[in-house]
Amino acid sequence: MTAASSPTLGLRIRKAAVLGAGVMGAQIAAHLTNAGVETVLFDLPAKEGPKSGIALKAIANLAKLSPAPLADKALAASIIPANYDDDLDHLKDVDLVIEAIAERMDWKLDLYKKIAGHLSKTAIIASNTSGLSINTLAEALPEEMRHRFCGVHFFNPPRYMHLVELIPTKLTDQNVLDGLEAFLVTTVGKGVVIAKDTPNFIGNRIGVFSMLATMHHTEQFKLGFDTVDALTGPAVGRPKSATYRTADVVGLDTMAHVIKTMADTLPDDPWHRYFKAPAWLAGLIEKGALGQKTGGGFYKKVGKDIQVLDVANLKSPAKDGRAFAEGAAYDFRPSEQRPSDEVAAILAIKDPAEKFGKLRASSDPQAQFLWATFRDLFHYTAYHLADIADTARDVDFAIRWGYGWKLGPFETWQAAGWQQVAEWINEDIKAGKAMSDAPLPAWVTDGRTGVHGKNGSYSASANADKPRSRHPVYQRQLFPDPILGEKFDTGSTVWENDGIRLWTLGDDGVGIISFKTKMNTVNDHVLDGIQHAIRLAEEKLKAVVIWQTGEPFSAGADLKGALGLLKDGKFDDFGKMVANFQRTSMAIKHALVPVVSAVRGMAFGGGCEFQMHSARTVAALESYIGLVEAGVGLLPAGGGLHELAVRASRANPADPFEELKKVFETVAMAKVSPSAIEAKNMGLLRDSDVVVFNAYELLYVAKKVALSLAEAGYRPPLPAQVVVAGDVGTATFKAQLANLQAGYFASEHDVDIASRIADTLCGGVIERGSTVDEEWLLALERKHFVELAKTEKTQARIAHTMTTGKPLRN
């Protein structure tokens, strides 16, 4: 392997090695394998059993983890287990080495010396350390290797967290960094932030401080842990796990270790006195309550109920936390706290400036708590910007991508009114209310309205605004994740109605169809719009891509409209809607220009059917695809079952039943793919469909695929003659269903739905091996769909799903 001369190509990485088979190392190896990189997973030699037993056990454990690190469990077999005694020869043809052992500087340095002589002259070496000095680590390597070394810090879980911090040393070659950035962005699908070599880098430096500030103010305002989580989760644009649930998931011992790292490595930080685990955190750790991995931390599950550590017993714990070990101060109560009425009303205010003003002015302890945590976060982040990051954009992206916040700290501050908030922070510093009396940097109050603007984002170290990276890899992101106030070219509208917009971006002749409905659901406006847009595209354009400006791709049919027709007894209109759905799928399939679906997030029901009928689907790895109609008491009737029957006949005309066996359970059980790769295994994507790892590159790739089809002289498939499994196939499926019902795994209505799915897939009451046309199958779909819709149980299922968001088993 040689570093690519053009950074657009990234590094030509055929094989990688991950050193350390702990939780992070094994999951990094899993995600590299997801991305098609042959990966060797190293660990120490086992004292008993196979020499590579530690790595083998870690690989086996991947299948048990949730969320799943592997996009397909079968990929575990592709990870090569290894140990440092016998297998260092594997390193000679490795292109990238990622070290992910425990956060011990001496252990890491020893390991580098051990592997250095086995690496090729072009191999890139990187450490996944979460906060140790990259420059110090580099010193353990031979001088000729140091230009190929840097930090590559993944966030947990590596498959799902978008952030990777890339940390160069003083000697890291720029071509190595550029190539690695392109590889991480496109091949691995990550959002890369370049961090400075400071303790905990950007994400954990700011994120952990935010948690420390939250813990400090939890005590100051005497709030319950569940109350704090109710205040610091989705209510303020952060994940459901909020603060203390997040600590439980991360592991309280891990949390304490990161805090200690800050205390040890940042002695001059003005907030240093807060870099310590609170007594109650130390007490939980001493008792062995480390969070989710030990069955309890701040929270524990008792039966079906969630209980929370009772803050009332934490008023005067022993300073060393030993009161917890005695049990008396370690009581739990049911978790039930919610924001107070006053704070809930304030948080519902849409204008950020008004919201922050009311939080600061309120005398409610919960409001005071929220203002205090934001104030100290803003203060800390501004004070350290010059030291830790090149720009404010890097800080906001690191926190958004690494911690799952909707807005980063600087974006939140700017949206709330920069100068007014800065004035309030200064007032609180002078009044001794802030956690530190360190002054705000002068640039904060220089009259600016924020740190993000038309010229880029502010760099405190350069005292200038800097635009986004000009790295060629980002040309593939036609709509990158926007920073606050950032606008992108939304193209030119060709035609639109109330359901969809047909538009172009640039002059490549590719039309883009985007839905306008909530959750991109499908109603008559969408159906009619797609059909009209395709007719226009056949006249004026080379190709069409169906792509949504946000997730999901489509949540499926508009159930509200459908239920309205059913309740009013308008079954003829309901039948016409179903027929229109099928016409739309057929318009997509038989369009004279290639129609490519660009899928990310949910593609349920009709959304799944649209992509099935496209000439090609380009799906982001995190695409959750399924024909889920059985969950609401229906069957797929937008052509989905018809298309599965067509594919089965094409794959095995001698015995299509063999192919149908693979998909029947998927549809009857309303299964959803946990990844785009699994969607291929489930028969919902084709082998020829494309999987893209970075969702922000989806539209770019889909347009290229559509154009390549057009340039190749694309013609739609001819109407198919379909060999069906017939009544024998249906009878075989029904026998399986009878066993399920006998074992109480399926209700009578479940069996009725599944039987109708089987009948449609197998072509109805017809002899096995018969040939039918596509319209025959579509008619079967419509017949069963309308008949099911007339039943009380199906209508009850639809209503229940609309009300609760959950399926009803009746």
Side-chain angles (χ1 to χ4, degrees):
M1 189 281 298
T2 57
S5 56
S6 167
T8 330
L9 298 174
L11 298 166
R12 296 296 193 188
I13 292 177
R14 184 184 302 277
K15 188 173 180 180
V18 177
L19 311 181
V23 174
M24 278 301 286
Q27 291 195 71
I28 291 169
H31 194 56
L32 290 172
T33 306
N34 290 337
V37 178
E38 184 183 12
T39 303
V40 187
L41 180 61
F42 279 87
D43 211 296
L44 295 166
K47 293 177 181 176
E48 297 178 359
K51 205 81 174 282
S52 297
I54 295 174
L56 281 164
K57 186 177 179 181
I59 293 166
N61 193 51
L62 289 171
K64 303 172 188 174
L65 295 178
S66 179
L70 291 163
D72 175 358
K73 286 183 181 179
L75 287 169
S78 298
I79 303 173
I80 302 165
N83 69 84
Y84 301 123
D85 278 3
D86 300 342
D87 301 315
L88 290 179
D89 269 359
H90 271 299
L91 295 174
K92 69 179 185 297
D93 58 352
V94 156
D95 307 313
L96 172 65
V97 176
I98 298 176
E99 170 270 306
I101 68 169
E103 292 289 88
R104 282 272 304 266
M105 180 72 77
D106 53 339
W107 291 358
K108 290 178 188 284
L109 296 179
D110 285 346
L111 182 57
Y112 293 177
K113 288 170 185 171
K114 189 170 190 174
I115 66 166
H118 295 269
L119 296 171
S120 75
K121 292 181 180 179
T122 54
I124 307 301
I125 312 102
S127 175
N128 182 59
T129 177
S130 59
L132 296 178
S133 169
I134 301 300
N135 280 286
T136 304
L137 288 171
E139 291 170 7
L141 293 168
E143 197 168 331
E144 67 273 12
M145 296 175 68
R146 294 177 189 173
H147 70 284
R148 291 183 273 121
F149 178 77
C150 62
V152 174
H153 180 216
F154 287 81
F155 274 62
N156 191 23
R159 171 183 162 187
Y160 300 94
M161 298 309 294
H162 192 55
L163 178 65
V164 169
E165 291 175 315
L166 191 56
I167 311 103
T169 70
K170 296 170 186 174
L171 299 174
T172 309
D173 187 284
Q174 189 60 45
N175 287 332
V176 167
L177 281 175
D178 288 344
L180 197 50
E181 183 171 4
F183 169 76
L184 290 166
V185 170
T186 290
T187 305
V188 189
K190 296 302 170 189
V192 171
V193 166
I194 309 293
K196 295 185 179 182
D197 187 17
T198 54
N200 287 5
F201 312 128
I202 302 173
N204 282 342
R205 181 74 176 273
I206 301 302
V208 173
F209 174 81
S210 177
M211 294 184 78
L212 284 169
T214 301
M215 289 178 176
H216 170 71
H217 291 303
T218 298
E219 291 184 320
Q220 292 291 304
F221 294 98
K222 298 179 171 56
L223 300 180
F225 299 124
D226 48 351
T227 300
V228 170
D229 278 356
L231 294 169
T232 59
V236 291
R238 298 179 191 173
K240 287 181 182 178
S241 56
T243 301
Y244 292 103
R245 284 184 191 276
T246 296
D248 273 356
V249 171
V250 169
L252 304 192
D253 53 341
T254 304
M255 182 80 190
H257 176 79
V258 174
I259 295 169
K260 185 177 185 303
T261 299
M262 290 180 75
D264 293 346
T265 56
L266 295 165
D268 298 326
D269 191 300
W271 285 262
H272 183 268
R273 66 182 181 276
Y274 301 101
F275 299 167
K276 60 184 178 182
W280 30 266
L281 178 57
L284 285 169
I285 294 168
E286 183 177 329
K287 191 173 173 65
L290 306 180
Q292 192 168 280
K293 59 189 173 186
T294 60
F298 292 107
Y299 294 89
K300 69 177 181 181
K301 198 168 185 180
V302 180
K304 292 185 177 180
D305 298 325
I306 301 294
Q307 295 196 342
V308 64
L309 192 63
D310 190 355
V311 76
N313 285 321
L314 304 178
K315 289 177 181 175
S316 55
K319 287 184 179 179
D320 61 1
R322 287 203 177 123
F324 288 89
E326 296 161 13
Y330 193 66
D331 292 338
F332 283 78
R333 59 170 172 75
S335 176
E336 56 190 14
Q337 295 296 316
R338 295 290 178 266
S340 66
D341 291 344
E342 180 183 341
V343 170
I346 293 173
L347 291 175
I349 296 170
K350 291 188 177 178
D351 176 30
E354 182 185 353
K355 183 185 299 184
F356 270 82
K358 290 198 170 179
L359 283 176
R360 187 169 189 269
S362 172
S363 58
D364 186 309
Q366 293 183 14
Q368 292 176 343
F369 161 83
L370 278 172
W371 161 251
T373 55
F374 275 109
R375 174 200 64 216
D376 292 317
L377 171 65
F378 296 160
H379 186 190
Y380 189 83
T381 308
Y383 185 87
H384 286 296
L385 173 59
D387 305 327
I388 65 173
D390 188 35
T391 70
R393 178 177 50 247
D394 296 326
V395 173
D396 282 341
F397 279 154
I399 294 298
R400 277 166 46 176
W401 296 343
Y403 280 78
W405 296 12
K406 286 187 177 177
L407 291 177
F410 286 124
E411 290 176 297
T412 306
W413 183 351
Q414 184 167 327
W418 185 272
Q419 288 301 331
Q420 176 63 79
V421 170
E423 187 179 315
W424 289 335
I425 295 171
N426 264 330
E427 287 176 8
D428 282 8
I429 293 171
K430 289 173 186 173
K433 294 180 179 178
M435 288 170 69
S436 168
D437 60 3
L440 280 173
W443 60 263
V444 171
T445 52
D446 63 4
R448 66 179 54 248
T449 56
V451 288
H452 304 300
K454 61 181 181 180
N455 296 322
S457 295
Y458 184 65
S459 169
S461 53
N463 191 26
D465 290 336
K466 290 191 176 183
R468 277 180 177 263
S469 168
R470 291 188 173 86
H471 192 306
V473 75
Y474 297 112
Q475 294 173 13
R476 298 167 58 87
Q477 298 186 15
L478 303 180
F479 289 88
D481 196 359
I483 206 75
L484 183 73
E486 205 169 16
K487 304 290 183 188
F488 302 113
D489 180 7
T490 53
S492 304
T493 301
V494 177
W495 177 85
E496 63 184 324
N497 68 352
D498 289 341
I500 67 115
R501 177 186 178 225
L502 173 66
W503 54 290
T504 56
L505 187 66
D507 57 0
D508 57 7
V510 178
I512 303 165
I513 293 175
S514 299
F515 300 177
K516 294 180 176 184
T517 50
K518 186 178 181 181
M519 296 288 285
N520 297 319
T521 51
V522 181
N523 58 20
D524 281 332
H525 295 300
V526 171
L527 297 172
D528 295 341
I530 291 173
Q531 292 174 48
H532 186 71
I534 288 174
R535 288 193 294 271
L536 285 174
E538 289 173 336
E539 295 172 14
K540 300 179 178 181
L541 299 167
K542 294 180 182 177
V544 170
V545 170
I546 303 176
W547 176 82
Q548 316 298 4
T549 53
E551 291 187 27
F553 178 73
S554 175
D558 174 17
L559 290 178
K560 185 178 180 182
L563 186 61
L565 291 174
L566 296 175
K567 282 186 172 179
D568 294 341
K570 296 180 179 178
F571 297 114
D572 286 345
D573 290 342
F574 187 78
K576 289 175 184 176
M577 183 194 75
V578 177
N580 199 25
F581 225 121
Q582 293 181 338
R583 275 195 301 276
T584 305
S585 292
M586 293 304 105
I588 291 170
K589 182 173 182 175
H590 296 290
L592 292 172
V593 294
V595 179
V596 171
S597 286
V599 174
R600 59 179 164 175
M602 292 185 294
F604 291 170
C608 176
E609 288 170 309
F610 288 163
Q611 67 82 23
M612 288 176 72
H613 288 86
S614 300
R616 198 78 84 247
T617 294
V618 177
L621 177 70
E622 301 309 331
S623 293
Y624 312 115
I625 303 171
L627 294 169
V628 297
E629 287 84 352
V632 290
L634 295 166
L635 52 68
L641 296 180
H642 135 277
E643 183 63 19
L644 290 173
V646 170
R647 292 181 186 181
S649 172
R650 190 182 300 128
N652 190 349
D655 188 7
F657 184 75
E658 285 302 308
E659 297 300 316
L660 293 175
K661 283 197 298 189
K662 301 173 186 176
V663 295
F664 171 69
E665 185 180 332
T666 294
V667 183
M669 301 292 287
K671 289 185 176 180
V672 174
S673 74
S675 72
I677 294 173
E678 282 279 27
K680 288 190 175 189
N681 299 337
M682 293 166 65
L684 299 172
L685 289 179
R686 297 155 291 200
D687 287 342
S688 58
D689 290 331
V690 179
V691 177
V692 172
F693 272 60
N694 195 317
Y696 295 107
E697 296 183 349
L698 189 64
L699 180 57
Y700 173 89
V701 176
K703 290 182 80 179
K704 294 293 186 187
V705 169
L707 277 172
S708 70
L709 290 171
E711 294 296 332
Y714 175 81
R715 293 292 301 174
L718 293 169
Q721 293 297 304
V722 187
V723 179
V724 296
D727 49 11
V728 174
T730 304
T732 306
F733 283 136
K734 283 185 174 180
Q736 295 175 14
L737 295 171
N739 291 334
L740 283 174
Q741 189 175 6
Y744 301 101
F745 294 110
S747 69
E748 184 179 343
H749 197 49
D750 289 331
V751 171
D752 184 23
I753 297 161
S755 298
R756 292 172 185 271
I757 289 170
D759 186 67
T760 307
L761 285 171
C762 295
V765 184
I766 193 171
E767 189 175 338
R768 181 176 188 172
S770 298
T771 300
V772 301
D773 60 19
E774 292 188 55
E775 179 49 44
W776 173 276
L777 295 167
L778 292 170
L780 275 173
E781 276 189 358
R782 292 194 300 274
K783 168 181 171 288
H784 286 306
F785 189 85
V786 174
E787 287 177 0
L788 279 171
K790 290 179 179 179
T791 66
E792 286 185 15
K793 287 188 174 180
T794 283
Q795 290 181 30
R797 285 192 179 192
I798 295 172
H800 186 269
T801 300
M802 284 176 56
T803 305
T804 66
K806 297 176 182 178
L808 171 67
R809 301 303 297 271
N810 58 359

